[in-house]
Amino acid sequence: MSLQRFILKRTLSIIPIMFGVSVITFGMFHLTPGDPVTRLVALNPDVTAAEEAALRQRWGLSGPVWEQYLDWISNVLVGDFGQELQTGREVSAIVWRRLPETIALGLFGWAFALVIAIPAGIYAAVNKNQLGDTISRFLALSGISIPNFWLGLILILIFSLYLGLFPVLAPSRQSLLSPEMLWYLILPGITIGTASAASIMRVMRTSMTEELNKEYVTAARAKGLPERTVILKHVLRNSLISVVTLAATLTASIVAGSVVVEVVFNWPGLGREFINAINQREINVVMAITLFTGFFVILANLVADIVYAALDPRIRYD
Amino acid sequence: MPSRHNASDNNQTINRRNVIATIGAAGAASLAGCGGQSDGGDGSDGGDGSDGGDGGDGGDGGDLFPLDVQLEVNADNSDRLQMVELIAESMEQTGYFNTTVETYEWNTYVGRVLNPEYQNNGYVPCIGLSGTFNPGSFCNALHHSSNIGACCNLNGISDSELDDMMDSARYGVDVAQDPELRAERYDEVWNYLADERYSSITHFGLATSVSNTDLHGFDMWPFQGGLYSYNMFAPQEEQVMWIDRDNAAGDSDLSDLSEGGTLSMAISANVESFDPPHSSDTTSTLAQNFIYEGLVANDKQGNIHPWLAESYELLDTTDVDRTAYADYMSAVGTTEEGAIDTDEQVIVQHPEDSPAEDDEVRVLLPDDATEAAEDGTYGMQYRYNLQQGVEFHNGDELTAEDVVATYEYAENSVLAPQTFDSVLTVTQVDEYTVDIYAQVADAEAERSLPALLILNATQIEEVEKGNIDPRQGNTPIGTGPYEFSEFEDAQYYEVTKFDNYWTEQKGVSEAFSWFDGSDEFPDGPVIDAFEIDIVPDNSTRSGALQNGEIDSTYGLNTSTLDQFDSSEEFLLYEIETGGYEYIQYPVNVAPFDDARLRQAINHLIPRERIVENVFSGYGRPAWTPIPELAQGSGTADAEALEEELRPTNEYNVERAEELLEQVAADN
Amino acid sequence: MTDRHTHDERGRIRISGFDSDRVRDREPMSDWTDESSGETVGRWRRGFRKFKRNRSAIGALVVVVVMALAAFFARPIEVFGVVVQPFSLAPYDPTTILYLGVDPSVNVYDPPSWQYPMGVDGSGRDLFSRLLVGGRYSLSIGFIVVGLTASFGLIYGSISGYYGGNVDELMMRIVDTIFAFPGLILALIIVAILGGGYWQLVLAFSLFGWAGYGRLVRGEVLKIKENEYVLAAKALGARDRSVVFRHIAPNAMPPLIVLASLNIGSVVIGVAALGFLGLGLDPSSAEWGTMLNATRSTLIQGPGGQIPWWATVYPGAAIFIFVMSMNMIGDGINDALDAQQTGVGRGGED
């Protein structure tokens, strides 16, 4: 199979998954006892039966479940996620406004993870079982073990409050592309990226170690190539492939992390909106963000697979 | 009660927050805002198996004790939760009670406790309210039978003797004309409540605000919603704040005043609405107060000063009750659920009809109310003479038409219940004169009739009801000193000074005939602009203040306030508010129908411990049911009242056990 | 291969045949060792020996055992009014407010002292007692969730891998779908729908948490399926169920155990995260994340204010140490059993 056909096939394969994602999202809110109207009415004993029925009609909650699902999904497909129940505001507008903030945070977290983890992984693999390796392994283990909300609080405490280096307030008026955004991004970015950095570092170290034991490395060394060239030109490239396989998982981790980290840093992104919506029982917002998250992770998986396929000449497309 | 079902009119949704706010029909109280992040704990206790009770000397009361008591509270207010746990633990330690504390997410909780069926559960709920200058806001809301299933007679207290006492303290020609008599009548209410002990108010809150020393001339205001509008310009108390980044505030006075600058501050909640009658939460009020003004303004004692009205006078008081409007009423059907079936605002519902029982009820609708007033059927008639030359932000001049339109706009709004609790109708006399009529002789009318913020008639014409909001593409327009500039939902809000603000055009002593302050007092606010960040987390606001990102904020965690107070770089301001918290006993469920049991539990509430340990001293134990701000109209002698009632509210385990033994002996 | 009918026929032959009793009577661990030339039982033994030599993993194991025992013996446990565990390591009940009755001189956020070794929390309760008792929530939820999800994932993955074809295709698409959601997001939604509480949390992390095990086991099964001994067992007429559970599943165990040990840490962090977001247990419960949420505001004090570090450091450190120990154990098992591919790809849960 050619690479193009692989890409096509792989791309088509996400369709049933996207369908499944939408079914799970919808099902969790509509098959559980007490739909949004029931819950709303429970809060307000004065709503009449007629009004309840009218609300159901308006929010697409009348009729059999599959019909409700079709209504909902056909609206979603044209970008209509309904309105906030309490304010009547368009949910899609809310999602689009918050999305860039979360993407900026996620990208920064990713960048931080890569910048820290890849050199650290190389260093650990090259100096295997020496002190530096032990320390970095320990740090990596700590990195995957430390609760991110806890890490965020400690970072705020040290760098914003004791040292006064970073702002405490989240950005509100700054444009996302302005240079001062960097100051706002650093602490939450580090918090969100730490677990990923630790995972990448561990994978880098393992796969580098394996690569370094392979014959072609011995051969290259025997040829008299400088160690630097051997590592950077040959070993690194092959090791990075294993990082790509990790990328999709880590994207999911960063998305989940954004929920917690945005709350800790009061970051005006989708994660904080998600928690607010859960607290306010804004079902439409929760559903929209859940669906968005699912689609985003699926796409990340797809991209990772394609990159992986393109990078690794040994892969069999099947 | 007005038909709030129909209030879901044009917004395509039932606004849950509106519903909750609308329920505060007593007019006085609105549910205290619950800041901070809320919590999803739907009440299930995590299986915390152990019981913590250490036996004690109880249990000799036959089958009754130890009594299982369930206290309930919303989970998102950690201080309140802590307080309830403290009360529960205190009860538990006597050995007479096995207590459990159940917590609920805020919306769930409100829905739960406001359900009229709730009273049958036998639970002890805790909730917070914010009262006003009106003494009724500290007794009616909790105890009047008309507030069952509303805010906030949660446990179905229905005591007609008490209802009459509270009504006669507010309504009637006698109390409307004689403040002394009114105060005495309230004293009777407080004493009655101390005996019956339907509820236990625990403490009164302190409002606190912290600013850096760049902000000069700042002072507290007992209501959060008015904190910044009071400080920017309040000639009634010669209050004006200014920014001076070169000199430290502390003992600066008006002669040091400097103009200009932008104040950065942080508020604790999102601005939910810019549409005054369609919101009642304090943050929305705070945001609206930059833009809009009312006919009158209060000072800290609750005295009233004419504002957009140049002057006002009481023209007439008559001795009518609400049945007097029967001739003007129309019969309207009711729904199965016992609601009045009309799209129009119900001004008065005939007291002898019951929407729950009758198929039709007699109600007074707006047009008929105007007709009644014109025919001379009304309780009171107040005449307001408007200031001339007041300019709206869109260039219109303020006229009587705007005032009339504002009151019409308030029909079926969130504020409708409390507005049309007292207002009969508003009529235009001439271009700059309006009459506001009260339904009955009402001691609170002078404050409650002109309570609305005045909107622009042109804007009202143009927008859909409830949509004066930048999120709906409508810039709010008022007569206030600041113009709306920018708003990003849940992030920030900015206002800039309005160039043609009317008091600056006129000069302060020209504008307000009652002004007798210093010549140095400016003609209007002096700060150019406000940049307001919306930061719900108290700690984050505190950090931002210390990090120099904002100049001023409020509502910081009480445990940190002493530190700000002793710091040279910050100034702490505090004032007692009308905010209070209370638990209410399920009086209709045995054994809580026994007043001695209720009194006993009241003696087990460690009020001083609550204030000291839960609120770090920033509060005042509720030795009487009224805070300072309501003492003006609510008691003849505050000291005597406290002396009398304090012993009934002291933490006194011995007395409690004595009472409990009596209860046990009778069972 | 997926045709049940033929399998049943084979099964019937087996019953009348000669092999079944022998297969059934064997130890599950050893029934495949003969055919696989003794290599795998050696793997377990060698793994165990290797693990014992791994000092950090053994140290971590000791930490986890100590924490679990401390939580268990923290306060007496009653079941239906009968005391099943009378010991009480924690000096106070986690709900006891010290200044009421016990010791009026105690104030909220009193620092650690001899009497209250970890200090006092914001409600005047003994933190040491709360921390010990709090371990019950995190640890028990962690182990219960992993037990449930790993068991279900094992069954799910075995079936999917063994049958292959359309069954496998469908079952793996379901797993892929679940993988599209970060675990924490799903848990948040479930808790939002059901409300907080102990069993709600267990459900929140179990309902979709098995997918990782399912995929892992399925991969292992595919590898093992074509092995000679499995083919032999099938040829000898072993029933599907017996092939899967006696031959294939045990072989998939090493990586499963590694993943499970690593996942306990993830679940504990997840539970704490929900508690921290105020969506887990009752806000006054002693669960570690909930305790952190309750004292979170104290991190930012006023000017010159002293942070009551004990209220934040100890619960946070408890989570950290437990998760770190579980991860070290997981790494240790991974090294010992050589199930290397599972040591990676973590992080999706936290």
Side-chain angles (χ1 to χ4, degrees):
Chain A
M1 200 192 292
S2 72
L3 184 59
Q4 281 85 351
R5 280 202 58 197
F6 169 76
I7 292 175
L8 183 70
K9 193 183 164 209
R10 184 66 185 74
T11 309
L12 288 177
S13 76
I14 69 173
I15 292 173
I17 302 178
M18 292 230 174
F19 171 72
V21 164
S22 71
V23 168
I24 289 188
T25 307
F26 183 83
M28 280 200 295
F29 289 99
H30 291 259
L31 298 179
T32 46
D35 66 24
V37 171
T38 315
R39 277 177 231 140
L40 185 66
V41 169
L43 294 180
N44 179 14
D46 284 347
V47 174
T48 66
E51 280 164 342
E52 192 181 327
L55 276 178
R56 275 178 203 288
Q57 192 73 38
R58 197 182 293 149
W59 291 345
L61 294 172
S62 52
V65 172
W66 61 268
E67 232 172 57
Q68 292 181 30
Y69 171 78
L70 287 182
D71 275 356
W72 175 73
I73 196 71
S74 54
N75 284 332
V76 164
L77 285 175
V78 295
D80 177 10
F81 290 93
Q83 286 98 31
E84 271 195 319
L85 306 185
Q86 294 177 36
T87 61
R89 284 173 227 152
E90 288 295 324
V91 171
S92 53
I94 295 172
V95 171
W96 285 120
R97 200 173 58 235
R98 301 290 181 221
L99 186 63
E101 307 277 349
T102 296
I103 289 180
L105 184 58
L107 283 180
F108 191 90
W110 249 117
F112 166 78
L114 291 176
V115 165
I116 294 293
I118 289 178
I122 297 171
Y123 176 83
V126 172
N127 301 290
K128 200 176 178 197
N129 294 331
Q130 293 175 18
L131 182 65
D133 176 38
T134 312
I135 292 174
S136 59
R137 281 172 67 196
F138 180 79
L139 288 179
L141 197 60
S142 308
I144 57 170
S145 306
I146 197 164
N148 49 8
F149 49 91
W150 165 250
L151 177 66
L153 291 176
I154 304 263
L155 290 179
I156 293 178
L157 188 65
I158 296 174
F159 293 101
S160 295
L161 295 167
Y162 276 168
L163 301 177
L165 294 177
F166 299 100
V168 176
L169 290 184
S172 52
R173 296 172 183 80
Q174 290 73 15
S175 144
L176 264 181
L177 297 173
S178 63
E180 56 190 343
M181 268 310 274
L182 197 62
W183 287 114
Y184 288 100
L185 274 168
I186 286 177
L187 292 187
I190 288 175
T191 310
I192 216 172
T194 295
S196 305
S199 300
I200 295 172
M201 192 246 139
R202 282 158 63 99
V203 172
M204 270 306 285
R205 179 181 175 275
T206 313
S207 60
M208 282 279 291
T209 310
E210 268 170 38
E211 289 292 321
L212 283 171
N213 290 333
K214 286 197 173 149
E215 277 176 21
Y216 76 93
V217 178
T218 321
R221 280 177 178 151
K223 260 201 290 183
L225 286 177
E227 187 69 11
R228 204 184 153 77
T229 317
V230 174
I231 290 174
L232 292 183
K233 280 230 163 129
H234 301 273
V235 181
L236 182 60
R237 185 167 179 275
N238 289 330
S239 309
L240 278 177
I241 291 172
S242 54
V243 172
V244 171
T245 58
L246 193 59
T249 324
L250 291 184
T251 305
S253 147
I254 282 179
V255 169
S258 75
V259 171
V260 178
V261 172
E262 287 183 9
V263 169
V264 172
F265 287 89
N266 206 27
W267 190 264
L270 275 186
R272 198 185 66 167
E273 193 68 42
F274 184 71
I275 294 295
N276 284 346
I278 281 184
N279 284 327
Q280 301 284 330
R281 301 295 187 269
E282 283 292 357
I283 310 291
N284 286 344
V285 180
V286 176
M287 280 171 65
I289 297 179
T290 309
L291 199 65
F292 227 86
T293 306
F295 285 0
F296 189 74
V297 173
I298 291 171
L299 286 179
N301 268 304
L302 176 67
V303 171
D305 278 5
I306 292 172
V307 171
Y308 182 66
L311 273 183
D312 191 343
R314 291 167 303 182
I315 192 172
R316 289 175 303 142
Y317 312 119
D318 52 14
Chain B
M1 222 120 298
S3 58
R4 45 183 164 271
H5 321 266
N6 305 303
S8 66
D9 46 39
N10 42 26
N11 215 358
Q12 300 293 305
T13 64
I14 282 191
N15 186 329
R16 209 182 313 175
R17 192 167 286 108
N18 280 359
V19 169
I20 292 162
T22 309
I23 293 166
S30 64
L31 290 165
C34 275
Q37 79 279 41
S38 68
D39 194 289
D42 257 4
S44 22
D45 201 304
D48 189 336
S50 24
D51 66 3
D54 54 359
D57 55 4
D60 36 348
D63 292 341
L64 188 57
F65 295 112
L67 178 66
D68 289 330
V69 179
Q70 176 162 326
L71 293 101
E72 304 204 321
V73 61
N74 55 311
D76 35 33
N77 185 323
S78 61
D79 286 347
R80 184 176 301 159
L81 172 62
Q82 209 177 318
M83 178 181 90
V84 171
E85 280 171 353
L86 185 50
I87 295 170
E89 180 77 8
S90 170
M91 289 167 65
E92 186 100 19
Q93 283 186 0
T94 61
Y96 285 92
F97 300 99
N98 285 328
T99 54
T100 40
V101 177
E102 285 290 331
T103 59
Y104 304 87
E105 183 269 330
W106 170 243
N107 285 329
T108 313
Y109 184 61
V110 172
R112 181 179 170 79
V113 295
L114 291 188
N115 187 327
E117 304 294 320
Y118 181 77
Q119 53 172 287
N120 303 322
N121 294 329
Y123 302 145
V124 181
C126 175
I127 208 165
L129 290 179
S130 120
T132 63
F133 293 118
N134 175 8
S137 57
F138 302 92
C139 54
N140 281 51
L142 291 66
H143 301 119
H144 203 286
S145 58
S146 66
N147 289 326
I148 296 173
C151 183
C152 285
N153 184 343
L154 311 178
N155 264 327
I157 294 152
S158 181
D159 178 337
S160 55
E161 189 183 344
L162 177 61
D163 285 354
D164 290 343
M165 287 170 77
M166 293 188 294
D167 287 344
S168 65
R170 174 168 174 184
Y171 299 111
V173 179
D174 50 355
V175 287
Q177 287 173 343
D178 183 357
E180 277 299 309
L181 179 67
R182 184 186 186 203
E184 282 164 23
R185 292 221 172 133
Y186 273 117
D187 277 332
E188 287 168 26
V189 171
W190 311 133
N191 276 295
Y192 185 87
L193 284 173
D195 289 337
E196 290 297 338
R197 190 50 64 194
Y198 296 125
S199 317
S200 292
I201 295 183
T202 55
H203 66 282
F204 297 108
L206 286 191
T208 58
S209 177
V210 183
S211 302
N212 61 26
T213 51
D214 294 349
L215 183 61
H216 297 245
F218 194 85
D219 201 2
M220 274 322 273
W221 176 248
F223 307 101
Q224 199 181 75
L227 178 61
Y228 288 94
S229 57
Y230 169 74
N231 272 293
M232 65 201 185
F233 182 62
Q236 65 270 37
E237 300 202 35
E238 276 193 82
Q239 188 63 41
V240 64
M241 62 177 167
W242 70 92
I243 301 166
D244 182 348
R245 306 215 182 263
D246 300 324
N247 298 298
D251 34 291
S252 49
D253 58 36
L254 279 180
S255 60
D256 304 318
L257 184 142
S258 66
E259 300 202 2
T262 298
L263 188 75
S264 306
M265 50 185 254
I267 56 177
S268 61
N270 192 17
V271 182
E272 297 294 344
S273 169
F274 286 85
D275 194 323
H278 290 91
S279 58
S280 66
D281 62 289
T282 50
T283 312
S284 296
T285 311
L286 186 149
Q288 291 159 11
N289 271 328
F290 285 100
I291 299 170
Y292 306 101
E293 299 174 298
L295 291 174
V296 298
N298 289 321
D299 65 17
K300 281 184 199 168
Q301 282 71 47
N303 301 317
I304 302 157
H305 300 263
W307 192 270
L308 285 180
E310 190 181 15
S311 62
Y312 67 90
E313 57 189 319
L314 174 60
L315 294 184
D316 191 19
T317 305
T318 66
D319 189 11
V320 297
D321 67 9
R322 290 187 170 89
T323 54
Y325 300 104
D327 292 346
Y328 298 93
M329 289 183 179
S330 11
V332 173
T334 57
T335 66
E336 276 172 38
E337 287 74 25
I340 301 172
D341 195 10
T342 172
D343 289 339
E344 287 190 78
Q345 172 72 43
V346 174
I347 307 288
V348 180
Q349 180 214 313
H350 200 289
E352 285 155 20
D353 298 353
S354 159
E357 289 157 23
D358 304 333
D359 292 338
E360 267 192 351
V361 290
R362 286 165 290 171
V363 294
L364 185 67
L365 299 175
D367 287 346
D368 305 319
T370 309
E371 197 187 327
E374 280 164 357
D375 291 351
T377 310
Y378 52 79
M380 299 169 108
Q381 180 186 18
Y382 273 95
R383 175 154 295 175
Y384 293 84
N385 305 302
L386 302 183
Q387 301 268 7
Q388 300 190 16
V390 175
E391 191 181 321
F392 279 102
H393 301 157
N394 64 356
D396 289 356
E397 195 199 349
L398 172 78
T399 63
E401 195 194 334
D402 297 299
V403 180
V404 174
T406 298
Y407 278 80
E408 274 172 14
Y409 187 70
E411 287 169 10
N412 286 326
S413 72
V414 174
L415 294 190
Q418 64 194 63
T419 304
F420 298 104
D421 189 39
S422 51
V423 172
L424 177 67
T425 186
V426 180
T427 58
Q428 174 170 351
V429 179
D430 61 39
E431 200 181 355
Y432 298 106
T433 314
V434 290
D435 282 348
I436 305 184
Y437 295 90
Q439 297 166 7
V440 292
D442 179 353
E444 197 56 29
E446 194 180 354
R447 269 194 291 262
S448 67
L449 294 182
L452 292 181
L453 294 170
I454 302 303
L455 311 177
N456 177 257
T458 320
Q459 176 156 54
I460 290 175
E461 193 84 359
E462 283 166 359
V463 303
E464 242 184 291
K465 211 163 141 58
N467 279 2
I468 303 183
D469 197 301
R471 281 164 291 219
Q472 309 288 352
N474 299 314
T475 302
I477 292 165
T479 59
Y482 291 90
E483 277 185 289
F484 176 87
S485 158
E486 245 189 294
F487 175 69
E488 180 65 38
D489 195 25
Q491 292 201 53
Y492 66 91
Y493 169 44
E494 292 180 4
V495 291
T496 50
K497 209 165 157 197
F498 175 47
D499 290 335
N500 299 334
Y501 184 50
W502 62 279
T503 64
E504 291 193 322
Q505 307 289 321
K506 292 189 176 194
V508 62
S509 42
E510 198 57 33
F512 304 113
S513 57
W514 41 263
F515 181 75
D516 58 355
S518 140
D519 292 343
E520 286 168 338
F521 193 77
D523 292 326
V526 297
I527 293 174
D528 281 343
F530 286 83
E531 287 181 358
I532 302 162
D533 283 299
I534 297 163
V535 186
D537 184 53
N538 296 348
S539 309
T540 309
R541 288 202 306 286
S542 171
L545 182 66
Q546 293 175 64
N547 220 7
E549 293 163 54
I550 53 173
D551 298 309
S552 174
T553 189
Y554 58 79
L556 300 184
N557 295 322
T558 50
S559 59
T560 64
L561 292 174
D562 283 346
Q563 296 149 12
F564 282 102
D565 198 22
S566 51
S567 162
E568 305 247 306
E569 295 163 58
F570 299 97
L571 291 166
L572 170 74
Y573 305 90
E574 53 181 288
I575 193 169
E576 186 176 309
T577 65
Y580 61 100
E581 286 172 286
Y582 67 97
I583 59 172
Q584 190 167 62
Y585 306 104
V587 297
N588 298 330
V589 176
F592 281 95
D593 51 353
D594 188 332
R596 290 171 302 181
L597 175 65
R598 307 193 293 261
Q599 289 164 357
I601 295 177
N602 188 50
H603 278 302
L604 293 174
I605 297 176
R607 288 184 168 79
E608 278 161 311
R609 279 290 188 186
I610 287 171
V611 167
E612 183 165 333
N613 288 338
V614 180
F615 299 97
S616 310
Y618 288 87
R620 189 170 67 85
W623 302 128
T624 70
I626 50 167
E628 278 167 29
L629 84 169
Q631 284 171 1
S633 347
T635 173
D637 183 345
E639 276 176 32
L641 184 69
E642 178 164 338
E643 207 170 302
E644 199 168 349
L645 296 187
R646 183 166 170 150
T648 69
N649 287 318
E650 293 270 15
Y651 177 64
N652 187 339
V653 180
E654 274 172 38
R655 177 70 187 138
E657 291 181 345
E658 213 174 290
L659 287 161
L660 291 170
E661 282 306 318
Q662 289 176 22
V663 174
D666 290 355
N667 275 274
Chain C
M1 196 207 286
T2 52
D3 188 345
R4 279 200 168 269
H5 185 62
T6 54
H7 286 289
D8 288 345
E9 271 180 4
R10 282 183 190 166
R12 227 173 285 132
I13 293 166
R14 183 186 57 79
I15 290 164
S16 60
F18 46 84
D19 188 50
S20 64
D21 294 338
R22 195 165 64 94
V23 172
R24 195 172 296 137
D25 291 340
R26 276 181 180 165
E27 290 293 313
M29 287 281 181
S30 58
D31 65 349
W32 36 263
T33 55
D34 294 354
E35 286 118 327
S36 51
S37 60
E39 200 189 286
T40 328
V41 71
R43 187 181 177 189
W44 286 100
R45 290 220 182 101
R46 252 183 301 122
F48 186 61
R49 277 200 299 275
K50 207 171 163 192
F51 188 83
K52 272 200 298 188
R53 283 197 305 273
N54 185 337
R55 271 178 302 164
S56 60
I58 288 294
L61 187 63
V62 170
V63 170
V64 167
V65 168
V66 166
M67 287 177 101
L69 289 178
F72 186 73
F73 290 109
R75 295 299 289 176
I77 297 174
E78 278 182 31
V79 178
F80 299 117
V82 182
V83 178
V84 293
Q85 193 287 100
F87 298 97
S88 159
L89 283 180
Y92 302 98
D93 189 272
T95 59
T96 299
I97 296 171
L98 295 170
Y99 59 75
L100 266 189
V102 179
D103 181 357
S105 69
V106 170
N107 219 322
V108 297
Y109 289 126
D110 272 354
S113 61
W114 281 112
Q115 206 172 358
Y116 312 111
M118 288 185 180
V120 173
D121 80 352
S123 296
R125 298 173 293 207
D126 180 40
L127 254 174
F128 177 64
S129 304
R130 287 176 69 73
L131 206 67
L132 289 187
V133 176
R136 287 181 180 175
Y137 300 106
S138 304
L139 271 58
S140 62
I141 292 178
F143 283 102
I144 291 174
V145 166
V146 167
L148 290 175
T149 51
S151 312
F152 186 75
L154 176 64
I155 297 168
Y156 190 93
S158 304
I159 294 172
S160 177
Y162 183 78
Y163 287 107
N166 287 335
V167 175
D168 180 44
E169 182 71 18
L170 177 68
M171 289 175 87
M172 279 306 115
R173 285 297 83 78
I174 293 175
V175 168
D176 285 345
T177 308
I178 293 173
F179 264 102
F181 298 104
L184 186 72
I185 303 262
L186 289 174
L188 273 168
I189 295 171
I190 294 169
V191 170
I193 293 171
L194 298 179
Y198 186 89
W199 292 108
Q200 285 90 331
L201 281 179
V202 169
L203 186 68
F205 286 95
S206 303
L207 201 55
F208 298 103
W210 51 267
Y213 300 99
R215 180 183 275 182
L216 175 86
V217 170
R218 180 236 181 207
E220 291 297 310
V221 169
L222 286 184
K223 264 194 258 167
I224 300 160
K225 199 162 76 170
E226 302 307 318
N227 278 3
E228 283 172 20
Y229 61 88
V230 176
L231 293 176
K234 274 206 253 177
L236 289 172
R239 260 196 298 192
D240 286 350
R241 207 189 302 156
S242 117
V243 170
V244 168
F245 290 106
R246 312 201 117 212
H247 300 249
I248 291 179
N251 246 318
M253 284 310 277
L256 187 78
I257 289 171
V258 173
L259 184 63
S261 59
L262 292 169
N263 250 350
I264 290 178
S266 306
V267 173
V268 167
I269 287 191
V271 169
L274 256 60
F276 178 79
L277 293 171
L279 288 164
L281 295 169
D282 187 89
S284 58
S285 74
E287 191 271 317
W288 295 335
T290 313
M291 284 164 77
L292 273 181
N293 184 31
T295 54
R296 175 180 164 198
S297 61
T298 63
L299 273 186
I300 298 183
Q301 289 286 316
Q306 290 300 309
I307 293 161
W309 53 267
W310 49 93
T312 318
V313 165
Y314 289 125
I319 303 170
F320 182 44
I321 289 172
F322 178 77
V323 175
M324 182 108 167
S325 302
M326 281 317 303
N327 284 336
M328 285 163 100
I329 293 172
D331 281 1
I333 300 175
N334 188 40
D335 291 347
L337 296 180
D338 245 5
Q340 38 179 278
Q341 79 274 33
T342 55
V344 302
R346 297 207 343 91
E349 301 281 332
D350 50 12

